[in-house]
Amino acid sequence: MTDQSGGTPTEQKSAAERIEEARQLYETIGETLSVVLDLVKAGDFKDIDLLPKQMSRLTDAIAEARKREADFNDKFGDGLGEGDIDFTALRREIGCRLGRIRRCCRS
């Protein structure tokens, strides 16, 4: 993970909004499937004929979320261009060095 950010502030905001939409979509899908499974386990099949239509909508929604995620990754990548600093890796390296110094000084 990196602390680098890509794009203009407007692009970042819309990208963040798309990520939040995708997160909410996955959460909603999980909740919906849980309710459907509970109904089926309880023997409630009165709305079972609606399942194919709902499954189609869920499949379309998942495909759209994956497309948006791919578009985001294509546009912003991992945030590390040539010469960019990976602050997470740098923190880890500094932490390791400090740990070695502490062990050395204690002995």
Side-chain angles (χ1 to χ4, degrees):
M1 190 93 197
T2 179
D3 291 337
Q4 296 290 323
S5 59
T8 65
T10 303
E11 290 172 331
Q12 291 172 10
K13 182 179 180 190
S14 62
E17 288 170 352
R18 288 193 304 267
I19 290 171
E20 178 60 21
E21 287 173 7
R23 187 196 63 76
Q24 289 176 356
L25 176 64
Y26 280 119
E27 187 176 299
T28 302
I29 290 169
E31 290 170 357
T32 302
L33 290 175
S34 177
V35 168
V36 169
L37 286 173
D38 289 344
L39 289 171
V40 169
K41 287 177 185 175
D44 185 354
F45 299 106
K46 67 179 179 174
D47 293 326
I48 201 82
D49 57 331
L50 298 176
L51 280 178
K53 181 180 176 184
Q54 295 294 357
M55 288 301 293
S56 176
R57 289 178 62 199
L58 285 172
T59 302
D60 292 345
I62 289 172
E64 178 65 21
R66 287 184 178 156
K67 180 185 177 300
R68 287 183 181 195
E69 182 180 16
D71 290 346
F72 176 84
N73 288 336
D74 289 344
K75 189 170 188 174
F76 297 109
D78 61 7
L80 293 177
E82 190 170 326
D84 285 347
I85 299 171
D86 184 347
F87 289 100
T88 303
L90 189 58
R91 281 187 204 102
R92 185 177 25 244
E93 182 180 339
I94 291 170
C96 290
R97 288 182 182 184
L98 288 172
R100 287 193 299 268
I101 291 170
R102 283 186 197 108
R103 285 191 303 270
C104 177
C105 291
R106 288 181 186 151
S107 55

